[in-house]
Amino acid sequence: MERRAKPRVKKAFPARVWAVDAVGIPFSVDCRIDNISATGLYLRIPSEMEAGCEISVAVRLSNGPGDCAIAGLRGRVLRNEPQPDESFGIAVTINHREIF
């Protein structure tokens, strides 16, 4: 049974993330979003983050060649999950969005 209020798109989207890691160092990194909905997203990055931290994401949304939009998203980290490949899975709740 799905717990989410909004449906998730389970497709990899290229993105760039700006945030501060768990030890307080600002970073910017290119990554891929694993899934996204109107209210949240899940991505993997090489940096550990604390729950509650702010995060900014620019994601390229595309349906094919020549059809592209950029979404600027701001949110808060809900959880941080260490992955077997030494990256971190970051669950984010989206608080603000703009489409360009």
Side-chain angles (χ1 to χ4, degrees):
M1 177 110 192
E2 180 64 49
R3 297 177 301 142
R4 295 181 178 100
K6 303 290 182 185
R8 290 254 159 173
V9 176
K10 294 179 182 176
K11 178 181 174 187
F13 291 102
R16 173 156 273 220
V17 172
W18 294 268
V20 175
D21 69 15
V23 294
I25 299 172
F27 70 92
S28 173
V29 65
D30 291 327
C31 63
R32 290 214 175 263
I33 291 176
D34 288 353
N35 63 65
I36 188 168
S37 76
T39 58
L41 60 87
Y42 188 86
L43 53 85
R44 294 172 198 239
I45 57 175
S47 300
E48 183 175 7
M49 295 186 69
E50 296 289 331
C53 288
E54 291 185 9
I55 187 168
S56 296
V57 181
V59 59
R60 183 173 169 244
L61 305 171
S62 175
N63 287 327
D67 181 21
C68 179
I70 304 295
L73 310 171
R74 285 195 309 259
R76 293 215 176 261
V77 174
L78 292 175
R79 66 183 184 279
N80 174 65
E81 302 170 335
Q83 302 296 306
D85 65 358
E86 299 185 10
S87 68
F88 295 89
I90 307 294
V92 176
T93 183
I94 297 169
N95 300 326
H96 179 79
R97 69 192 65 73
E98 292 183 48
I99 306 295
F100 304 100

